[in-house]
Structure formats: C-alpha cells, structure tokens
Amino acid sequence: MAQKKQTEAVQEQAQAQAQTVTIDGKEYPLDQLSESARQQVVNLRVTDQEIQQLQQRLAIAQTARTAYSNELKAELDKLEAATS
C-alpha cells in the first residue's frame, strides 16, 4: 500500500512538472514559474471560463430577443390584416 502511494505521488509530481502554459506562443513549465506568475495563470484561466459562460448567456439572450421580435412581427401582421 505504501509503495502504491509513493508511486502515485511520483506520477503526480511528474505530471505537475510536465504541465506547461503557453503565453504569446512560448511554452513555460508551470513548475518553473514564480508563485505570483502561477497565480496569474490561475486568474487567467478563471477569467477565460467566466468569459465563456458570459458568451453562452449572451447567445441565449440574443436567441430569445430574436424569438420575441419574430412574435411581435407576427402580432403586428395580424393587426394590419384585421384593419385592412
């Protein structure tokens, strides 16, 4: 059991060392960045996720707006047909 945990720990460490981040087309190993730089990478990732969520919400709102506009046009067409 202890051997398994040690093996897992070594594998996790190897994965952490193999992780990189690409900034302006250049790859940087995460384990060689300062703590401050690693925190900024985390901040960027969180911000990118937030932007993606906001873009999805915007797409939903735009779809709803189009549907409302189409429904309004249909109602106005009915009104015009009734008054003609």
Side-chain angles (χ1 to χ4, degrees):
M1 186 75 154
Q3 180 65 26
K4 184 177 179 181
K5 285 185 180 182
Q6 185 178 7
T7 302
E8 289 174 358
V10 169
Q11 288 173 343
E12 287 176 14
Q13 186 177 13
Q15 285 178 332
Q17 290 174 347
Q19 291 179 344
T20 60
V21 63
T22 303
I23 305 292
D24 294 333
K26 186 173 178 184
E27 235 177 66
Y28 298 90
L30 286 176
D31 64 337
Q32 293 181 9
L33 298 180
S34 68
E35 182 62 34
S36 176
R38 283 194 301 270
Q39 185 59 50
Q40 295 312 314
V41 169
V42 169
N43 291 341
L44 284 170
R45 288 177 177 167
V46 169
T47 303
D48 286 344
Q49 289 174 350
E50 181 67 19
I51 289 169
Q52 185 178 24
Q53 290 174 353
L54 289 169
Q55 287 172 334
Q56 290 170 349
R57 290 179 57 198
L58 177 59
I60 291 167
Q62 288 172 328
T63 300
R65 187 186 190 289
T66 299
Y68 298 147
S69 176
N70 290 340
E71 185 63 29
L72 176 58
K73 287 176 189 175
E75 290 298 317
L76 294 175
D77 288 345
K78 288 179 193 177
L79 179 63
E80 285 183 16
T83 58
S84 299

